Amino acid sequence: MASLSFFSFLILFLSAIAVSDAGSVGINYGRVADNLPPPDKVVQLLKSQGVAKVKIFDSDSAVLTALANSGISVVVCLPNEQLASAANDQSFSDGWVQANIAKYYPATKIEAIAIGNEVIAENITDTTKFVVPAMKTIQASLVKLKLDSNIKVSTPVAISCLGNSYPASAGSFKPDQVQSTIIPMLDFLRKTGSYLMVNVYPFFAYKDNSKTISLDYSLFKDNPGVVDSGNGL
């Protein structure tokens, strides 16, 4: 029951965020917990709160089935532990897309595939080298099934992959990742018309700097804004 209450709180919290006409509220639907409500109940809760987008961290059959015909846009994930297989074996990617994407689309409104989660982060690991190759094989699988125009491929990067983030005008990626990972990834996104996914946590930034950061700014509510000290914008 506690998990359901927390999930309800999360939905209500997100629903309180001011949303512009150009955007919509979405949530990360994580399921690493106990006493979780079944997927069909979760979908009912999402719809009742006007949540239009959801991201899951795998391609769970029960969840994707429950989301069918709901009108909710879905981002599914190829888990980190499967990146090496996808990167090195086109037939693996073909089978994965057939079983986890084509099987449910278009009834389930899958709009993107996240290749791993925060594999591109503060430090380069043994898995980092598989990200872009896996993106390419999954993209090739979508092309074969003529799904590539409607379903995009990207990878959520951690904000920790930045060498500097403040002020925004001085933002930069960590130098050791630029040539090996960042440029190949951005080149792929440009060529396929996809978008950069970044995991950012504005509330935690507020929590650690509440004297200098406005809560309304962190929650995307009306606020005076912040002037970039580097360029005055």
Side-chain angles (χ1 to χ4, degrees):
M1 190 65 188
S3 296
L4 178 58
S5 298
F6 174 77
F7 192 81
S8 300
F9 166 78
L10 177 62
I11 296 293
L12 292 170
F13 170 75
L14 287 170
S15 296
I17 296 175
V19 182
S20 70
D21 292 338
S24 57
V25 170
I27 68 157
N28 287 325
Y29 176 12
R31 303 190 315 284
V32 182
D34 55 12
N35 300 319
L36 291 174
D40 60 323
K41 297 296 184 183
V42 172
V43 172
Q44 290 178 21
L45 182 59
L46 295 176
K47 292 176 69 175
S48 71
Q49 297 299 320
V51 175
K53 295 177 180 290
V54 63
K55 172 189 169 189
I56 60 177
F57 294 89
D58 52 22
S59 54
D60 184 80
S61 177
V63 172
L64 291 177
T65 299
L67 285 163
N69 304 309
S70 65
I72 297 173
S73 296
V74 186
V75 176
V76 302
C77 182
L78 176 70
N80 292 0
E81 58 270 20
Q82 294 184 346
L83 262 60
S85 297
N88 294 313
D89 186 354
Q90 183 64 56
S91 64
F92 174 89
S93 294
D94 290 346
W96 189 90
V97 169
Q98 186 67 53
N100 297 283
I101 304 299
K103 179 180 177 180
Y104 303 98
Y105 184 85
T108 300
K109 194 177 176 182
I110 300 171
E111 67 174 358
I113 301 171
I115 305 302
N117 184 59
E118 296 195 346
V119 179
I120 299 176
E122 183 174 7
N123 299 307
I124 296 175
T125 67
D126 292 340
T127 308
T128 308
K129 62 186 177 184
F130 298 125
V131 175
V132 176
M135 293 170 74
K136 291 179 177 179
T137 62
I138 293 295
Q139 176 71 15
S141 299
L142 291 173
V143 170
K144 290 178 182 179
L145 296 172
K146 295 181 172 57
L147 297 175
D148 56 299
S149 62
N150 295 319
I151 301 175
K152 298 301 179 182
V153 175
S154 188
T155 183
V157 303
I159 198 71
S160 60
C161 73
L162 292 178
N164 186 57
S165 63
Y166 186 86
S169 57
S172 62
F173 291 103
K174 289 185 177 296
D176 61 337
Q177 301 208 40
V178 171
Q179 295 297 328
S180 63
T181 308
I182 300 299
I183 289 178
M185 176 193 64
L186 295 177
D187 185 55
F188 171 88
L189 299 178
R190 179 182 60 81
K191 289 179 178 178
T192 60
S194 188
Y195 31 75
L196 177 66
M197 293 181 174
V198 184
N199 288 344
V200 294
Y201 306 95
F203 183 76
F204 293 127
Y206 163 77
K207 179 176 68 70
D208 295 334
N209 302 276
S210 58
K211 292 183 178 180
T212 56
I213 296 178
S214 159
L215 180 60
D216 285 341
Y217 178 77
S218 300
L219 298 179
F220 310 107
K221 293 184 176 182
D222 289 338
N223 67 90
V226 173
V227 176
D228 187 308
S229 59
N231 57 21
L233 296 178

